[in-house]
Amino acid sequence: VQLVESGGGLVQARGSLRLSCVVSGFGGDDYAIAWFRQAPGKEREGVSSISWSSRNTWYLDSVRDRFTVSTDKTKNTVYLQMNSLRPEDTAVYYCAAVAIGRFGLGYLLGSAPRVKEYDYWGQGTQVTVSS
């Protein structure tokens, strides 16, 4: 399994960015794909997650009404549309994946994604929001 992120950059507060995560190697298995972020000096936190097959989703409270996660199977891509960006959204954003079969759909999509449970990671993309 491989994941490659893109789409980060510098944007002013209240602006928008769309992150992309191209995935490969899933085969016929279902996976949970999560977006994490890590700001300088802070722990990596889960921002949003989605199941590849059923499209169940989960969001961090602080982004729930601003970010939207989606999948496009024709492009093997997971998107994170980020609107109304704030300076506190500044971080390196990572996409990560884990096979649903390891923990179950309800467990993985029912609460915040946990770093230690995700097996495959992209390289990260920097998002900087200026005030």
Side-chain angles (χ1 to χ4, degrees), residues 10-68:
L10 173 65
V11 64
Q12 290 187 332
R14 296 178 297 280
S16 297
L17 282 174
R18 188 178 75 165
L19 305 183
S20 300
C21 175
V22 178
V23 304
S24 60
F26 281 3
D29 296 327
D30 194 11
Y31 280 76
I33 303 98
W35 288 95
F36 292 84
R37 67 185 179 187
Q38 188 165 21
K42 295 188 176 182
E43 293 187 354
R44 195 170 296 189
E45 67 174 350
V47 174
S48 182
S49 57
I50 188 168
S51 63
W52 185 248
S53 295
S54 65
R55 299 190 179 182
N56 292 41
T57 59
W58 176 90
Y59 293 96
L60 185 68
D61 283 347
S62 63
V63 309
R64 185 179 305 279
D65 296 325
R66 301 185 295 122
F67 292 7
T68 303

Side-chain angles (χ1 to χ4, degrees), residues 17 60 62 66-68 74 78 84 89-90 104 107 112-114 121:
L17 282 174
L60 185 68
S62 63
R66 301 185 295 122
F67 292 7
T68 303
T74 66
V78 180
S84 302
D89 294 319
T90 295
Y107 177 80
R114 289 155 282 271
W121 291 81

